[in-house]
Amino acid sequence: SGSRILIEDCLEGEELSVLVLTDGETILPLASARDHKRAYDHDRGPNTGGMGAYSPSQQFDESSLGDLIQKTVRPMVEGLAKEGTPYRGVLYAGLMLTKNGPYVLEYNCRFGDPETEVILPRMKSDLLPVMMQIAEGKLKTQTLEWHDKACITVVMASGGYPGSYQKGFPIRGLETVAAMKDAVVFHAGTSFNAKKEIVSAGGRVIAVTALGDNLRAAHDRVYQAINQIHFEGGFFRRDIGQKAIEVL
């Protein structure tokens, strides 16, 4: 310790989330998604677990997804199989798209959050039979169908997150959003109080998701929905997906 220096590259570029299903041999990609990590608008503030996401991603052509998977995901799947420990399930790769090509930041053996909240609502296929075929090692017989819609999710967090925060505040407006078309609320850090009211109970409290014919329509609907929800100290980013919309 102290006698060695470790020099690491500073990776510069856009982050991208790639989620796939695999039975240890076949790789079935899910729809692309882009996460927003910073706490505040215009990518300012500390990193968080994710303040929102949109799908499909506008960072690359969907036709190039296969090449991206070959470079970043398949080596992991084939390497685990070669070691005698084939992986079956969801594999989530966090990537950085740099001028020198894609670099892997992390692998996770789970669905990514909040990417999953914009990917699964776009899925037309029934997920359960696909999971059964993964367990049986028969994924090569499966395909996935997708709705031709865009999806955006916005996270409402407790005041102070990702630092210290208070909890136990009643959440108002959930019933209003439940009645809206193509909008859904995913609960993350919620609980019930003694009055059986739904209250905040974590840092990232809820994720409000909406579908639209395009990203602009999904953006309008999700913010119409999340503006109906209130709890003391709650905040959310108001620019999720905005950069992608501006280049359309």
Side-chain angles (χ1 to χ4, degrees), residues 4-40:
R4 295 183 180 182
I5 297 175
L6 177 64
I7 300 177
E8 298 181 336
D9 282 340
C10 176
L11 298 181
E12 296 182 354
E14 295 287 333
E15 287 192 46
L16 174 68
S17 303
V18 173
L19 281 76
V20 305
L21 303 175
T22 181
D23 60 0
E25 181 178 353
T26 300
I27 296 173
L28 194 60
L30 300 180
S32 63
R34 170 73 194 278
D35 181 20
H36 291 63
K37 294 274 188 207
R38 297 286 183 172
Y40 310 128

Side-chain angles (χ1 to χ4, degrees), residues 154 219-227 237-240:
V154 180
H219 177 274
D220 291 345
R221 182 168 290 130
V222 77
Y223 280 103
Q224 180 187 358
I226 200 168
N227 279 316
R237 283 184 56 165
R238 297 182 178 273
D239 63 343
I240 302 299

Side-chain angles (χ1 to χ4, degrees), residues 131-143:
M131 291 299 190
M132 293 297 292
Q133 294 206 327
I134 288 174
E136 296 168 358
K138 300 177 180 179
L139 191 57
K140 62 182 178 182
T141 65
Q142 266 292 348
T143 58

Side-chain angles (χ1 to χ4, degrees), residues 111-156:
F111 282 105
D113 168 51
E115 294 89 343
T116 305
E117 285 91 327
V118 290
I119 290 175
L120 292 188
R122 295 186 60 217
M123 185 181 291
K124 189 181 296 185
S125 303
D126 187 344
L127 186 59
L128 181 57
V130 180
M131 291 299 190
M132 293 297 292
Q133 294 206 327
I134 288 174
E136 296 168 358
K138 300 177 180 179
L139 191 57
K140 62 182 178 182
T141 65
Q142 266 292 348
T143 58
L144 294 175
E145 293 186 63
W146 300 92
H147 292 289
D148 188 22
K149 289 191 173 186
C151 193
I152 295 182
T153 191
V154 180
V155 170
M156 182 174 275

